[in-house]
Amino acid sequence: MSEHTDRTVDVVVVGGGPSGASAAVFTARYGLDTLVFDRGVAALPRSAFLENYPGFPAGIDIETYRALLHDHLETAGADLVADTVEAVEHAADGETGDARFVVTTADGRVVRARHVVAASWYDGDYLRPVVGDGAYESHEHDGDEHEHFDGDYPDADGRTEVAGLYVVAPAGQRNAQAVVAAGQGAHVARRLIKDVRLADGYPEELAEHYDWLRSESEFAGDWGERERWREWFDDHVPAEREGDADVADLRESYIDAAFETRRDPEEVAELRERAHDRILEHLDDDRIRAYAAALDAPTEDD
């Protein structure tokens, strides 16, 4: 048995490729207990070399890229488990608290989840217990009839008619490019977070969560004062909720979170150094030494 057996989490992500990892980074950074299942059998590990992902001008080998993805998951606070999800089922009423789903895996794990994000390339049949047969369609390939998950079953934001279930993949040809998949993964995660915030009482116009750090200049002048943020927040509260005690509490939490993103130039310099060091941890030591030696080598001008 595993430490993850009989665990209840906020979010289970099925698939740890670019789309699943992107989704999990956002949900984990928001503070949702996030568990990612990935057996490593998706399309990316079958690629010889990754040449079209922005930010890697000479490309990046698959092993290093996947290691960076998984390191990012750990840094964000998500747990990664090498296992295959076999079924997602509805939780029985009253038996699992506020968990909506029971997730079972090939290795015998049983995990209860409040939300599930499907982000795996394989056929999506593991979702059948919760979505029913209507979420699948048949097509002919090489003379044979095949059934696969309907990429149009979720809406453009990844939401489905099953409360708590979000789909990034399978999504047909939209999965074919890593950056598109990663962007969709992040977008769907942000929709999930918005739904969580709406359930927590945030008004519609204030339920979006923006996951970025702000420079000190963003807090210049009046915006460096909490009262200015209170005025802005109150301007976006619908009239029927003005004066509600819960809205006042949410407003202060919103402002606390905004000020926690502020970073001065010294903090940014520290973050830059730490980020570079973290990338170096994943690079081949011999290549680092060779690069350093080339920089130190005398030139014709010396």
Side-chain angles (χ1 to χ4, degrees):
M1 301 298 285
S2 161
E3 63 180 302
H4 299 291
T5 299
D6 295 326
R7 177 178 171 185
T8 298
V9 299
D10 293 315
V11 181
V12 162
V13 178
V14 184
S19 60
S22 298
V25 164
F26 274 77
T27 58
R29 280 175 56 84
Y30 185 71
L32 300 176
D33 187 11
T34 301
L35 178 59
V36 181
F37 286 112
D38 180 52
R39 183 64 89 181
V41 295
L44 188 62
R46 301 201 303 269
S47 173
F49 195 79
L50 184 59
E51 292 189 313
N52 61 358
Y53 206 107
F56 298 100
I60 183 73
D61 62 282
I62 302 303
E63 294 79 12
T64 300
Y65 176 69
R66 292 188 73 229
L68 287 164
L69 272 184
H70 294 167
D71 194 2
H72 201 165
L73 287 175
E74 180 180 346
T75 301
D79 291 329
L80 176 66
V81 176
D83 201 352
T84 300
V85 170
E86 291 196 330
V88 176
E89 301 173 279
H90 289 292
D93 292 341
E95 293 185 4
T96 58
D98 58 352
R100 297 185 178 103
F101 306 103
V102 176
V103 179
T104 55
T105 74
D107 290 346
R109 292 178 171 88
V110 178
V111 176
R112 293 158 178 81
R114 299 174 181 89
H115 307 86
V116 169
V117 177
S120 172
W121 261 63
Y122 58 95
D123 63 9
D125 195 56
Y126 65 94
L127 295 173
R128 196 179 295 271
V130 293
V131 299
D133 295 337
Y136 300 83
E137 59 184 8
S138 297
H139 69 105
E140 186 175 315
H141 181 69
D142 292 336
D144 295 324
E145 193 76 11
H146 297 273
E147 188 178 53
H148 63 85
F149 189 81
D150 183 359
D152 292 327
Y153 178 76
D155 67 16
D157 293 327
R159 295 183 175 107
T160 73
E161 62 186 39
V162 179
L165 175 65
Y166 301 78
V167 176
V168 178
Q173 290 305 308
R174 283 175 290 172
N175 292 332
Q177 293 294 323
V179 179
V180 173
Q184 180 68 0
H187 177 75
V188 171
R190 292 190 66 238
R191 298 285 69 75
L192 186 159
I193 292 168
K194 180 177 181 178
D195 291 344
V196 169
R197 289 164 68 85
L198 287 170
D200 286 342
Y202 279 94
E204 175 73 28
E205 289 191 47
L206 296 162
E208 292 281 0
H209 174 66
Y210 300 94
D211 186 1
W212 56 45
L213 299 179
R214 296 175 171 91
S215 65
E216 276 195 321
S217 62
E218 294 292 312
F219 295 86
D222 292 345
W223 289 103
E225 304 296 329
R226 292 181 68 92
E227 190 56 38
R228 178 66 185 90
W229 285 82
R230 292 188 182 101
E231 293 172 2
W232 177 88
F233 188 100
D234 290 343
D235 286 343
H236 292 79
V237 174
E240 63 270 17
R241 295 192 62 188
E242 291 179 1
D244 287 0
D246 62 332
V247 170
D249 292 339
L250 290 170
R251 180 185 63 190
E252 297 310 304
S253 296
Y254 188 101
I255 297 170
D256 287 342
F259 275 84
E260 287 171 2
T261 67
R262 179 168 57 182
R263 298 294 185 272
D264 62 34
E266 291 77 15
E267 290 173 311
V268 172
E270 292 175 1
L271 289 171
R272 180 178 186 271
E273 183 175 306
R274 187 176 69 184
H276 288 195
D277 289 346
R278 196 61 169 270
I279 292 172
L280 286 171
E281 289 179 11
H282 292 278
L283 303 183
D284 183 84
D285 290 343
D286 289 339
R287 296 307 312 151
I288 295 173
R289 295 187 189 98
Y291 183 79
L295 291 178
D296 293 337
T299 66
E300 294 181 0
D301 295 332
D302 291 340

